[in-house]
Amino acid sequence: MNCPYCHRPAQFLTSLDYYGRDFGTNVYVCIPCGASVGTHRRSKRPLGTMANAELRGLRKQAHYLFDPLWRNKLMGRKAAYKILRKMMGLSKEQAHIGMFNKGQCLVLIEILSKYWNTHQIQQTTQKEIRTMFKSENHKKQTDLILDLLGEKPFDQVDDTFYRSFAYVAGAVNKFNEIKETLSLDGIDLDQLYEEMGRFSSSEKAMIRFAIQCFNGRLDDITLPQVMHSLDSENSNVIKEAIGIRY
């Protein structure tokens, strides 16, 4: 093997000879250029192409961004490398970061940096949304209410009127009792108020506030009246709903 920088023949050394420590591998190295590449275990088969310090650093950065795709089980390893081939326009034989040049590394680093930034934002947003709900059932009932109203799930719907109504009504945990009052046409208030006759005082207060979030002209309940009968958990729901609606 020749050095790609100075074209001199590379030396073939054990990792113990080169690094002063035995890693169970060998290495091709060009001492004048500082270029090197390791081998598959103790064989003579290189892991890629020889690289100087700059390129080795870029390859490490590319691996740092690429490997979590399959190491963290976001997808299988084969699927990850298939995507790598498609992104970089490479054959199966070429799609190894250990064979990448500087330009290829920079392209992959840019692509994956954007991916992870977006992924982190999405993960943060999902975490923030989950903490808004009292429980998984609260989230489930909120989404069921939105679905009956012809809206997307809570984390996708843009309409703050529907969003705040469903969020508060879902916290009451009375979906089965109120589902017949909801449709693509909106809310059947007469039927809903009739159903509320069987609710507790705190449940009634929350449903009335949900209606007010949907349309302030439909119910005149005041915030102190709502809060008066609620525990701290449901009080937090009302506070979150105010943030959603207003």
Side-chain angles (χ1 to χ4, degrees):
M1 178 180 290
N2 291 331
C3 172
Y5 301 98
C6 70
H7 307 294
R8 295 187 182 95
Q11 295 185 51
F12 181 71
L13 303 171
T14 66
S15 57
L16 178 62
D17 290 335
Y18 184 58
Y19 297 110
R21 183 177 174 185
D22 188 0
F23 293 104
T25 61
N26 298 313
V27 58
Y28 290 94
V29 60
C30 175
I31 301 298
C33 294
S36 64
V37 63
T39 65
H40 291 269
R41 300 187 181 276
R42 298 191 186 278
S43 73
K44 290 188 175 183
R45 186 159 61 99
L47 291 168
T49 60
M50 293 181 68
N52 61 16
E54 180 188 23
L55 182 53
R56 287 198 301 272
L58 289 172
R59 287 176 176 175
K60 285 180 181 178
Q61 189 176 354
H63 266 298
Y64 175 79
L65 292 168
F66 175 76
D67 290 356
L69 290 174
W70 58 271
R71 288 189 185 278
N72 295 349
K73 302 188 185 302
L74 294 177
M75 61 185 71
R77 186 172 185 176
K78 287 184 178 179
Y81 274 92
K82 185 176 181 180
I83 290 173
L84 177 63
R85 296 197 298 272
K86 188 173 182 180
M87 283 193 302
M88 302 298 294
L90 300 172
S91 67
K92 187 175 182 179
E93 292 72 25
Q94 295 170 323
H96 298 282
I97 293 172
M99 298 176 68
F100 281 15
N101 59 33
K102 179 179 177 179
Q104 290 172 316
C105 286
L106 290 172
V107 169
L108 182 60
I109 288 167
E110 182 180 5
I111 292 171
L112 292 175
S113 293
K114 289 179 180 178
Y115 168 79
W116 285 116
N117 285 338
T118 302
H119 181 75
Q120 185 175 24
I121 290 170
Q122 291 174 341
Q123 290 289 92
T124 301
T125 301
Q126 290 296 325
K127 184 177 180 181
E128 289 174 349
I129 288 173
R130 285 197 298 271
T131 59
M132 291 174 62
F133 291 91
K134 299 192 299 182
S135 63
E136 286 297 323
N137 190 55
H138 178 193
K139 174 70 165 62
K140 180 182 178 181
Q141 296 217 5
T142 299
D143 287 342
L144 287 171
I145 290 169
L146 286 167
D147 183 60
L148 287 179
L149 293 169
E151 293 293 327
K152 296 177 182 177
F154 181 84
D155 54 357
Q156 299 176 36
V157 66
D158 294 321
D159 191 307
T160 58
F161 300 96
Y162 280 107
R163 200 170 193 239
S164 53
F165 169 81
Y167 174 72
V168 177
V172 179
N173 195 29
K174 293 287 185 179
F175 174 76
N176 288 331
E177 288 80 354
I178 69 172
K179 63 183 180 182
E180 298 300 327
T181 71
L182 310 172
S183 70
L184 297 180
D185 296 325
I187 305 168
D188 185 332
L189 286 176
D190 291 336
Q191 188 177 356
L192 180 55
Y193 279 118
E194 183 178 341
E195 289 294 334
M196 284 166 53
R198 293 186 285 273
F199 292 0
S200 68
S201 59
S202 61
E203 292 167 347
K204 289 177 184 176
M206 291 185 71
I207 293 293
R208 288 183 63 191
F209 185 77
I211 293 169
Q212 190 179 89
C213 287
F214 181 72
N215 187 330
R217 295 191 296 266
L218 299 180
D219 200 297
D220 59 358
I221 192 168
T222 65
L223 190 57
Q225 288 174 323
V226 178
M227 293 294 201
H228 176 71
S229 59
L230 301 184
D231 58 21
S232 60
E233 191 174 44
N234 283 318
S235 294
N236 286 333
V237 169
I238 299 302
K239 292 173 185 176
E240 290 284 1
I242 291 171
I244 294 169
R245 176 63 177 81
Y246 302 102

